[in-house]
Each structure stands twice: as structure tokens, then as C-alpha cells.
């Protein structure tokens, strides 16, 4: 007997559940989030009312509130939209509130443009509301309109100065605009309230680097290294700081630590390998750098300028003179340039005269003697100017070189670069006693210099 009663109760419960689902249109309404039995009954009754009257205000209000409270935002949004639509002709509907809730539901769905429409409508009814201004700031920030986001967030902070979310968001807006100094006080508020907020710690350290306090930020980056989200990024930032300070050894250590961390996102892995490869090239460890670029190429052949770097450093790794030209010491570089100048052309007897090194170039002066038609020695002075850059050398540098020839009354000048000359530079050199030598011919000269 007891068993039959128990089975009967189970059947009744099952039927009730089916009816609730059927009353809601026969669809999955995320009812697992509706745990309160009273709420389930309200949902059932309110749904039946809407079937008879789609604009039933009490029913719409009950359904939207229950779904919103239980974070079933897509269902809540449907009913809030209906309430916003009928609010102008129904004063009993709080238009500011329902428009705000519709905007928040759209924010949860990351539909930023639609969310903005409802939030602006809500702000017309209650422009000092914290949630209105916070979510407006959020939407504007997602749309990258930071100039509009910041005033909204500041209005929100007037209502609640301690809000970590609003402080964090306004700091990010300032950061994205590169207004680093303005971001600092907001980050300090967040860290004071939440000392273990990793996002705030990372941004604070990053801002400190930009503000010229890199040494302080390094301690924070070191603390964040074990973090699964910010560990690799901290190694990147720390390595970049040390690299920019000229400390290539420590930068290599930073990037290497980052690559040893577990579960590093692919984007961070590629950047770590790229930056480590650049450090290797700068320290003449060409094979190790090329191996890293080969790994990047397997994942993304279009990543930054890796194909150009592979071409350049593959050749560089096989040409010791090119290594000296681009990365050797000043004394080795001058000695190489002297060999190039004195062995410039077969049949010319060139004698080294002088070498002068500046920050952007090195000048080598030689005296050239050749046998004339009357068997007399013809002696002339030539000036070589060597640029170590691998980029484009512009017209202004060629003009300055030509002026130096005229001032010193030198008959011929030869400009040599490891890169190329701009179109303007080539055009200026036409008809003047200036020869331009770019990287292709330089490679031939470097091989001859052996």
C-alpha cells in the first residue's frame, strides 16, 4: 500500500513539471536556475496570463524579475523589452528601471550597441543612478569610446567611491588612452580594497613602467609569474623593460622563464619566442634565434616580421664579416670598413688616410693613385661613409655627405649602407660625385674583404 502511494506521488510531481514546461511554451527555460517553488508557481501563472494578454504588466514584471534575479538574462530581456515598449502609455511602469535592466541583460550578452540604446534611455529618467552610469561606462569602453566612458564612470564613483569594478574600469580607460598618470590613483583604490586582485596588480606594475618607475614594477611582475593568467604576460613586460635598459642577459632570463610556465596561451608563447629570438640576435646567438623563429613559423608564418628576420639572420649566421658590420665592436667595424675602402676596386692603389666615427655613421678617407696616360701618378682623395642601419637611409643623409665632400674639396664620395637608400636619396645623388652602395653590393664587398 505504501509503495503504491509513493509511486502515485512521483507521477503527480512528474505531471506538474511537464505542465510548467508546457505553460512556458514547451521550451527549456533554464528552469534549473529557478529553485524556489513559489517562483515556479508564479512563472506558471504569469505565463498563462501573458498567453491571454501579451502586455499584462503584472505578469511581465513578475517574469522579468524572476528571470533577472536568477540570471536567466535572455528570458528576462524579452519581458523587459515589452515593458520598455509599453512604458510611455503606462505610468505605473518604471521606465528608467526596466530600460536599465534591458541594457544590463544586453551587456551580459555582449551586445554593446543595443545595450547602449536602452542605457541612454534609462539615463534620461535617472542620470545619477550608479548602475546606469557604470554600465554606460562599460559599454562605451567596449566600443572603445573612452572619452565618453570616463565621465560616466566618474559619475558612478560619486555615488559609490569604493566600487572596485568602477575604479578598475576607469583605470583601464585611462590606460588605453595612454594617460598612465591618471590611471594610478584608481588602481591604488582597487589594490587597497583587494590586495590579491591580480588584474589590478598587473596593470599597476605596467603603468609604473610607463611612468618611469620600472624597478618597482619588476617586483610585482616577479610575484605574478606563477599566476596562470598573468604569469607569462609579466615575464614579457619584465623582459621588455630589461631589454630597453640594455640588460639583454636578464631579458633573456625573463623570456626563458615565461616559456617554461605551464599552459601559456599561444599568443603569449609566440611573443615570448619572438622577443627571445631578438635578444639572441642582439647577442650574436644566431642559430638559437633562428630556431625560435622556425618554431613560430610553423604556427603562424605571417607573425610580425619573422620572414624578413629569418632571411636576414640566416645570411648573417653564415657571413662573419656581415656580423661584424652589423653587430661587431667599433674597432672591428672600423677595421672592416678600412679593408673595404682600400680594396675598393682592382687596379687602384688606395692608401688609408683617416677614420672618424660618429653616432650614425663612420667615415674612412683614402688616397687613391692610378697610372695616367703620361705615366704620371694621379692622386685623388676619396671619402667613404658607412651606415650600419638595415633600414632606409634618406635624402638628408646623402645631402649632408655631399656637403662634407664640398667642404673638404674631396673629388669623390661613396655611401655604403646595410639597408637601402630612399628614392629621394637616389635622385639627389644623380649627377653628383656620390656613389650609393646598398646591401646587395655590400654583401659582395664583405665577401671580398675576407
Amino acid at each position: 500500500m505504501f509503495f503504491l502511494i509513493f509511486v502515485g506521488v512521483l507521477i503527480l510531481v512528474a505531471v506538474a513539471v511537464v505542465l510548467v514546461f508546457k505553460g512556458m511554451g514547451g521550451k527549456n527555460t533554464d528552469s534549473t536556475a529557478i529553485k524556489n517553488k513559489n517562483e515556479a508557481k508564479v512563472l506558471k501563472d504569469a505565463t498563462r496570463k501573458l498567453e491571454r494578454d501579451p502586455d499584462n504588466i503584472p505578469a511581465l514584471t513578475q517574469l522579468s524579475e524572476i528571470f533577472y534575479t536568477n540570471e536567466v538574462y535572455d528570458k528576462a530581456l524579452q519581458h523587459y523589452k515589452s515593458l520598455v515598449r509599453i512604458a510611455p502609455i503606462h505610468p505605473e511602469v518604471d521606465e528608467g528601471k526596466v530600460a536599465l535592466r534591458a541594457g544590463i541583460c544586453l551587456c551580459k550578452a555582449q551586445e554593446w550597441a543595443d545595450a547602449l540604446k536602452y542605457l541612454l534611455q534609462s539615463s534620461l529618467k535617472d542620470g545619477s543612478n550608479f548602475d546606469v552610469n557604470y554600465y554606460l561606462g562599460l559599454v562605451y569602453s567596449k566600443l572603445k569610446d573612452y572619452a565618453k566612458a570616463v565621465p560616466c564612470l566618474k559619475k558612478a564613483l560619486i555615488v559609490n567611491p569604493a566600487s572596485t569594478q568602477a575604479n578598475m574600469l576607469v583605470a583601464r580607460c585611462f590606460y588605453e588612452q595612454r594617460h598612465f598618470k591618471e590611471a594610478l590613483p584608481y588602481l591604488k583604490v582597487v589594490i587597497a580594497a583587494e590586495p590579491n586582485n591580480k588584474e589590478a596588480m598587473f596593470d599597476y606594475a605596467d603603468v609604473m613602467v610607463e611612468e618611469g618607475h620600472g624597478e618597482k614594477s619588476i617586483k610585482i611582475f616577479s610575484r605574478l609569474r606563477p599566476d596562470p593568467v598573468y604569469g607569462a604576460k609579466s615575464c614579457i613586460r619584465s623582459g621588455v623593460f630589461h631589454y630597453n635598459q640594455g640588460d639583454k642577459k636578464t631579458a633573456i632570463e625573463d623570456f626563458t622563464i615565461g616559456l617554461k610556465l605551464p599552459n601559456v596561451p599561444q599568443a603569449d608563447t609566440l611573443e615570448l619566442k619572438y622577443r627571445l629570438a631578438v635578444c639572441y640576435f642582439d647577442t650574436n646567438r644566431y642559430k638559437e634565434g633562428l630556431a625560435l623563429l622556425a618554431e613560430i613559423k610553423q604556427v603562424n608564418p605571417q607573425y610580425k616580421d619573422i620572414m624578413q628576420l629569418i632571411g636576414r639572420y640566416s645570411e648573417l649566421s653564415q657571413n662573419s664579416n656581415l656580423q661584424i658590420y652589423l653587430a661587431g665592436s667599433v674597432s672591428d667595424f672600423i677595421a672592416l670598413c678600412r679593408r673595404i675602402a682600400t680594396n675598393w676596386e682592382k687596379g687602384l692603389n688606395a692608401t688609408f688616410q683617416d677614420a672618424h666615427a660618429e653616432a650614425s655613421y663612420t667615415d674612412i678617407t683614402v688616397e687613391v693613385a692610378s697610372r695616367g696616360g703620361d705615366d704620371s701618378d694621379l692622386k685623388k682623395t676619396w671619402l667613404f661613409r658607412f651606415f650600419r642601419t638595415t633600414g632606409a637611409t634618406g635624402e638628408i643623409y646623402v645631402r649632408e655627405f655631399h656637403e662634407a665632400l664640398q667642404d673638404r674639396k674631396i673629388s669623390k664620395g661613396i655611401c655604403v649602407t646595410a639597408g637601402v637608400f630612399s628614392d629621394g636619396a637616389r635622385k639627389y645623388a644623380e649627377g653628383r660625385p656620390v656613389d650609393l652602395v646598398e646591401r646587395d653590393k655590400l654583401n659582395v664587398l664583405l665577401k671580398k674583404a675576407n
Side-chain angles (χ1 to χ4, degrees):
M1 185 68 179
F2 176 77
F3 176 76
L4 293 174
I5 293 173
F6 178 72
V7 171
V9 170
L10 287 178
I11 293 171
L12 288 173
V13 171
V15 170
V17 170
V18 170
L19 288 173
V20 169
F21 274 98
K22 186 176 181 181
M24 293 181 182
K27 298 180 182 179
N28 184 352
T29 60
D30 294 314
S31 61
T32 53
I34 312 301
K35 298 178 181 178
N36 187 294
K37 292 182 179 179
N38 292 331
E39 287 183 347
K41 184 178 184 304
V42 171
L43 284 175
K44 179 180 177 181
D45 293 341
T47 302
R48 286 177 176 173
K49 290 177 183 178
L50 285 184
E51 289 176 352
R52 295 191 297 269
D53 177 13
D55 289 345
N56 186 295
I57 294 174
L60 288 170
T61 301
Q62 289 174 326
L63 288 171
S64 60
E65 286 288 334
I66 291 174
F67 282 126
Y68 184 86
T69 303
N70 288 277
E71 300 181 0
V72 187
Y73 295 113
D74 57 336
K75 300 293 182 182
L77 177 61
Q78 297 174 19
H79 303 304
Y80 280 128
K81 282 184 174 181
S82 296
L83 287 167
V84 171
R85 174 176 53 79
I86 64 178
I89 57 175
H90 289 277
E92 66 270 29
V93 176
D94 187 342
E95 185 177 351
K97 178 181 177 180
V98 295
L100 169 61
R101 291 285 183 85
I104 293 174
C105 290
L106 286 162
C107 285
K108 300 298 182 181
Q110 299 185 14
E111 297 179 22
W112 308 115
D114 289 338
L116 180 60
K117 178 180 68 174
Y118 285 100
L119 292 170
L120 287 173
Q121 184 175 345
S122 179
S123 69
L124 294 176
K125 298 297 179 179
D126 187 2
S128 62
N129 183 286
F130 173 85
D131 285 336
V132 170
N133 286 296
Y134 171 77
Y135 280 100
L136 272 174
L138 173 65
V139 169
Y140 280 128
S141 70
K142 293 296 184 180
L143 296 174
K144 301 188 184 302
D145 194 345
Y146 304 113
K148 289 183 180 177
V150 169
C152 294
L153 294 166
K154 285 185 175 181
K155 287 174 70 176
L157 287 171
I158 292 174
V159 180
N160 183 6
S163 169
T164 54
Q165 286 181 309
N167 276 286
M168 189 70 219
L169 190 52
V170 75
R172 290 297 306 169
C173 289
F174 278 128
Y175 181 87
E176 293 296 335
Q177 296 177 91
R178 303 190 67 78
H179 297 165
F180 303 116
K181 189 174 182 179
E182 289 87 342
L184 278 174
Y186 297 96
L187 289 169
K188 288 179 180 178
V189 171
V190 178
I191 294 173
E194 301 177 0
N196 293 321
N197 187 314
K198 304 295 178 62
E199 181 184 9
M201 289 172 62
F202 179 84
D203 286 353
Y204 180 79
D206 210 18
V207 167
M208 291 292 282
V209 171
E210 298 292 346
E211 283 295 294
H213 304 290
E215 294 297 339
K216 294 180 180 179
S217 70
I218 295 302
K219 296 180 180 179
I220 300 176
F221 287 138
S222 297
R223 286 175 56 193
L224 290 173
R225 279 178 179 170
D227 186 80
V229 176
Y230 295 101
K233 290 180 173 59
S234 295
C235 290
I236 292 171
R237 296 293 195 276
S238 182
V240 169
F241 171 76
H242 287 125
Y243 181 87
N244 292 336
Q245 295 294 308
D247 187 355
K248 308 292 175 59
K249 180 180 178 182
T250 305
I252 289 173
E253 293 174 359
D254 291 327
F255 298 137
T256 302
I257 290 171
L259 287 171
K260 291 180 179 178
L261 295 174
N263 304 318
V264 177
Q266 186 181 83
D268 291 336
T269 299
L270 294 179
E271 185 168 3
L272 284 163
K273 288 182 177 181
Y274 178 85
R275 291 187 179 278
L276 181 56
V278 171
C279 284
Y280 282 151
F281 294 143
D282 287 350
T283 52
N284 302 327
R285 296 165 65 175
Y286 303 111
K287 290 184 179 180
E288 292 168 278
L290 286 168
L292 286 170
L293 293 186
E295 293 176 10
I296 297 173
K297 182 182 175 183
Q298 287 183 336
V299 178
N300 182 5
Q302 307 303 319
Y303 189 80
K304 295 187 178 181
D305 59 341
I306 63 166
M307 298 310 296
Q308 293 92 321
L309 291 177
I310 289 173
R312 173 186 174 189
Y313 286 102
S314 294
E315 182 179 16
L316 190 59
S317 65
Q318 301 170 17
N319 189 331
S320 59
N321 280 337
L322 185 57
Q323 293 176 27
I324 293 172
Y325 193 97
L326 293 176
S329 66
V330 174
S331 59
D332 288 343
F333 175 68
I334 291 176
L336 176 61
C337 293
R338 179 174 173 173
R339 290 205 306 275
I340 292 173
T342 53
N343 294 281
W344 181 254
E345 193 175 297
K346 188 175 181 180
L348 290 178
N349 182 16
T351 305
F352 172 76
Q353 297 290 313
D354 180 57
H356 177 70
E358 291 285 348
S360 57
Y361 62 82
T362 294
D363 282 348
I364 301 290
T365 307
V366 298
E367 186 179 72
V368 178
S370 60
R371 184 69 63 180
D374 57 354
D375 292 337
S376 62
D377 287 332
L378 300 176
K379 294 184 178 180
K380 296 180 180 179
T381 301
W382 288 6
L383 178 63
F384 290 79
R385 179 161 291 182
F386 294 91
F387 294 95
R388 301 182 86 167
T389 178
T390 57
T393 300
E395 178 184 342
I396 187 172
Y397 294 100
V398 178
R399 283 182 177 273
E400 290 175 354
F401 181 59
H402 182 243
E403 290 172 2
L405 296 179
Q406 292 178 318
D407 292 342
R408 295 175 57 181
K409 296 182 172 52
I410 293 177
S411 59
K412 185 173 182 177
I414 299 166
C415 263
V416 183
T417 179
V420 296
F421 289 98
S422 68
D423 292 339
R426 295 191 193 101
K427 186 174 181 179
Y428 179 82
E430 292 177 1
R432 291 182 171 88
V434 176
D435 289 347
L436 302 181
V437 177
E438 299 177 305
R439 64 177 159 227
D440 290 340
K441 186 174 181 181
L442 173 62
N443 286 336
V444 175
L445 295 171
L446 291 171
K447 291 175 183 177
K448 276 177 53 178
N450 285 326

